Amino acid sequence: MEKNLLNIGFGSTVVAERIVAIVSPNSAPMKRLKDEAREESRLIDSTHGRRTRSIIVTDSKHVILSAIQAETISQRYQLLREEQGKKDDEKYE
C-alpha cells in the first residue's frame, strides 16, 4: 500500500492517511492542546523557528505545528485525496 505524503512546509511531510484534523492555532482550546501535547512528549514542531500558523492532529494523538496556513495545508490535503481517488478509479477499470 502506497503512503501519500503531505507537504507541511520547509521540507517536512506527514503521512496523509494519519491526519485527523488541520486547525488554526489561535483559539484557547488549541493552545491547551499544544501545551498538553508538549507536556506528554507528543508535540512535533516543524515550524523551523517561524510563527505557528496551523496545528495538525494525527490518529496517534501527535500534534504537529506548521508555519504554513491551515487553509493552504487543507487545500494540499484535498488535492492529494482527489489524486488518490483517481488512481483508485483507474485501478478498478
Side-chain angles (χ1 to χ4, degrees):
M1 184 165 132
E2 184 179 320
K3 300 287 182 191
N4 291 316
L5 297 177
L6 177 66
N7 182 344
I8 60 168
F10 308 105
S12 300
T13 57
V14 177
V15 176
E17 290 81 12
R18 305 288 305 264
I19 294 175
V20 174
I22 302 169
V23 295
S24 175
N26 300 329
S27 68
M30 290 304 108
K31 290 177 184 176
R32 276 195 303 273
L33 177 73
K34 181 175 75 170
D35 292 340
E36 289 171 6
R38 180 175 283 123
E39 290 172 9
E40 297 171 8
S41 299
R42 294 183 290 111
L43 184 71
I44 301 169
D45 186 350
S46 65
T47 61
H48 294 268
R50 294 172 176 84
R51 182 171 163 243
T52 299
R53 297 201 172 162
S54 63
I55 297 176
I56 302 166
V57 182
T58 66
D59 59 356
S60 62
K61 297 189 180 179
H62 282 85
V63 176
I64 304 168
L65 307 181
S66 175
I68 304 296
Q69 291 285 347
E71 294 82 16
T72 303
I73 295 176
S74 294
Q75 289 172 351
R76 292 176 184 177
Y77 181 77
Q78 185 62 34
L79 285 172
L80 199 61
R81 300 294 286 177
E82 289 172 4
E83 287 176 12
Q84 183 62 37
K86 289 178 184 176
K87 286 181 184 177
D88 290 343
D89 289 345
E90 291 173 1
K91 190 186 300 184
Y92 295 112
E93 286 181 357

